[in-house]
Amino acid sequence: MTDIEADNYNPLDPENGGITYEKGMAAIHAITADGRVIKGVPVFALAYDQVKLGWLFKVTTWPIVKPVVEFLYNIFAKFRTNLTRGASIDVLVKEYEAKKVLQRKIDDSNCDVCDK
């Protein structure tokens, strides 16, 4: 698991698969050991597979079920932050970027007062 809000998170690190904050907030992602990026419902199937419960998610691969599950997940992913964090993904991305800009200014100023 990787915290995309951690101060040391770097989307350019190969272990993070190029997943930016915005991409990471828009949908769940997984990076496999070989560097492959997986997004959306297949991540849950992979996670369940890792704990030997993959059979629970097999139904999501059925031709009739798969598009319905993906459609519902996409709706959930689009609005989940409104429910869980009280703000849209767009607002959270703007706040995140503003925080990063402010942190760079603080880091560049070597301000002793800022660290207290």
Side-chain angles (χ1 to χ4, degrees):
M1 300 292 279
T2 300
D3 180 2
I4 62 173
E5 292 185 322
D7 290 338
N8 63 348
Y9 179 77
N10 180 357
L12 301 177
D13 182 335
E15 287 186 2
N16 296 327
I19 305 303
T20 63
Y21 181 79
E22 185 172 11
K23 285 181 186 177
M25 291 302 287
I28 190 168
H29 289 76
I31 317 302
T32 62
D34 64 357
R36 202 166 30 104
V37 177
I38 301 170
K39 175 184 166 187
V41 175
V43 173
F44 296 103
L46 178 65
Y48 273 75
D49 221 23
Q50 295 296 307
V51 294
K52 309 293 186 236
L53 293 174
W55 58 272
L56 287 173
F57 256 80
K58 288 293 182 204
V59 69
T60 66
T61 64
W62 296 352
I64 293 173
V65 176
K66 183 178 179 177
V68 173
V69 170
E70 288 179 356
F71 175 77
L72 292 173
Y73 172 76
N74 289 334
I75 291 173
F76 165 76
K78 183 174 182 176
F79 296 106
R80 76 176 173 80
T81 61
N82 295 69
L83 299 171
T84 61
R85 308 209 41 205
S88 69
I89 292 172
D90 292 338
V91 168
L92 293 174
V93 168
K94 286 177 186 168
E95 289 174 355
Y96 175 82
E97 289 172 354
K99 177 185 167 192
K100 289 293 186 184
V101 167
L102 180 59
Q103 187 61 53
R104 277 193 296 276
K105 286 180 181 177
I106 291 170
D107 292 346
D108 291 345
S109 71
N110 290 326
C111 179
D112 292 331
V113 177
C114 300
D115 294 331
K116 295 179 184 177

